[in-house]
Amino acid sequence: MTRLAPPTAAQAAPPRPARRRARWPLAALAALLLAAALAAACIGAAGVAPADALGAIAARIGGGASPLDPIGDAIVVDLRLPRILAACAVGAGLAVVGVVMQALVRNPLADPYLLGVSSGASVGAVLVLVSGLALVLPLAAFAGGLLALVATLGLAAAAGGATPTRTVLSGVVVAAAASAVVSLVLFWRADGDAYREILAWLLGSLAGASWQTAPIALAGLALALPLLASGRALDALALGDSAAGALGVDVRRTRWTLLVACALVTGALVSVSGAIGFVGLVVPHAARLLVGAGHARLLPVAALAGALVLLVADTVARAAFDPRELPVGIVTALLGAPAFATLMLTGRVRA
């Protein structure tokens, strides 16, 4: 196969207007994310002044005296801060995986849950919750997600190879089977507190985020960081397998590697948050409105936008209906469904 020569530095570098176009969304989203994080640390049943919240966090890091009393300090640093970090990590990771999945399967409806990983994670989570072993929920959910990944890719391979169509169909089959198992367990075993815990997890919730679980979400985001360097391969794959091969991309190896990476990231994230819909579906399309379809620019913008969207949604879910708290998955669905419909009606979502 004839391989194209690598581009020169002048050819590889995007034009200056394109570089400027990519920089301002990153800067604006980063600023908005910092502002939203500070607001999330202050807003709640126990309101805190921004200066006091920053002082409490700085005191915990540097070992100085906190400007807040012990209860206020614990609320900001031990309750809200890990939840903020988890929301940012989950939102950014889901958005990045959504971008990658849409390119891999060349389908604008693809999202991080396409391979059945979320449904598999739900099986693991439900089984430990009805068994009264909630402490191992993240581990069980991650293991369930991995088993679903193995089942999906194994089924696709047995059917003739992990082409985009076979992979999607295999994911649908595995997700349906896992959903049936969850429904069966709910019908036979769940009652009382276990039922409420399961329902909150299935709807997507960050209420259980803590300094024990937030590092898992951050580890999932760390697994997603190498995906940010896959922009050139994704650009080629989005053109089709033949075109990607002509450009020197090992299509089979690249697709399998990226699919496994996406599933690992998704499994780690949903083990903390449950299945939070629409972030990985809508945010990639919205990010394309800002920087276009080039994945090198799209991936970091989508990551920041996903973190911002989920952090704002979680703050609304936590504080807007006080003293009751909504699962954040309800808020993302209420916001994401009309947003996606608007993108469709304006012609922004195309096959």
Side-chain angles (χ1 to χ4, degrees):
M1 177 184 296
T2 303
R3 298 183 181 271
L4 299 182
T8 64
Q11 292 171 327
R16 288 187 179 180
R19 290 201 297 269
R20 286 197 296 269
R21 185 187 177 194
R23 287 195 192 108
W24 76 260
L26 285 172
L29 287 170
L32 289 172
L33 182 60
L34 290 175
L38 179 58
C42 299
I43 294 174
V48 178
D52 290 341
L54 291 174
I57 295 171
R60 186 66 65 92
I61 295 175
S66 172
L68 298 173
D69 59 68
I71 295 178
D73 183 78
I75 289 173
V76 171
V77 180
D78 296 325
L79 295 179
R80 293 178 184 170
L81 185 57
R83 186 163 178 166
I84 290 168
L85 294 175
C88 291
V90 172
L94 290 178
V96 168
V97 173
V99 171
V100 175
M101 291 299 298
Q102 288 170 10
L104 286 178
V105 302
R106 299 192 293 278
N107 189 327
L109 297 179
D111 71 357
Y113 308 135
L114 192 65
L115 301 182
V117 174
S118 175
S119 298
S122 297
V123 172
V126 167
L127 289 177
V128 298
L129 286 174
V130 298
S131 302
L133 302 174
L135 291 177
V136 297
L137 188 152
L139 179 60
F142 185 67
L146 287 184
L147 289 176
L149 167 67
V150 172
T152 296
L153 297 183
L155 181 59
T163 63
T165 300
R166 292 193 188 100
T167 303
V168 170
L169 293 176
S170 299
V172 170
V173 171
V174 171
S179 296
V181 172
V182 169
S183 299
L184 183 62
V185 173
L186 282 173
F187 182 77
W188 284 107
R189 292 290 307 275
D191 55 10
D193 292 339
Y195 184 84
R196 286 190 290 271
E197 290 179 356
I198 291 170
L199 184 62
W201 198 90
L202 292 176
L203 292 175
S205 175
L206 292 165
S210 66
W211 286 117
Q212 284 71 45
T213 58
I216 300 175
L218 294 172
L221 179 60
L223 290 173
L225 292 180
L227 295 175
L228 297 177
S230 63
R232 192 170 181 180
L234 292 175
D235 286 338
L237 289 171
L239 299 175
D241 291 0
S242 299
L247 292 171
V249 175
D250 187 334
V251 174
R252 179 180 174 83
R253 179 180 178 182
T254 301
R255 176 171 286 118
W256 275 85
T257 300
L258 292 176
L259 285 174
V260 171
C262 287
L264 291 174
V265 172
T266 304
L269 297 178
V270 301
S271 71
V272 173
S273 66
I276 297 176
F278 283 96
V279 174
L281 174 63
V282 177
V283 170
H285 292 293
R288 289 187 185 94
L289 301 181
L290 296 175
V291 294
H295 289 88
R297 299 188 302 273
L298 177 61
L299 285 164
V301 169
L304 286 176
L308 176 62
V309 166
L310 190 55
L311 179 58
V312 171
D314 184 59
T315 304
V316 170
R318 173 172 58 83
F321 304 95
D322 184 66
R324 304 188 69 177
E325 177 177 325
L326 283 180
V328 68
I330 295 177
V331 178
T332 58
L334 288 173
L335 298 176
F340 194 72
T342 301
L343 291 173
M344 289 179 58
L345 293 173
T346 56
R348 300 294 185 176
V349 178
R350 299 183 178 89

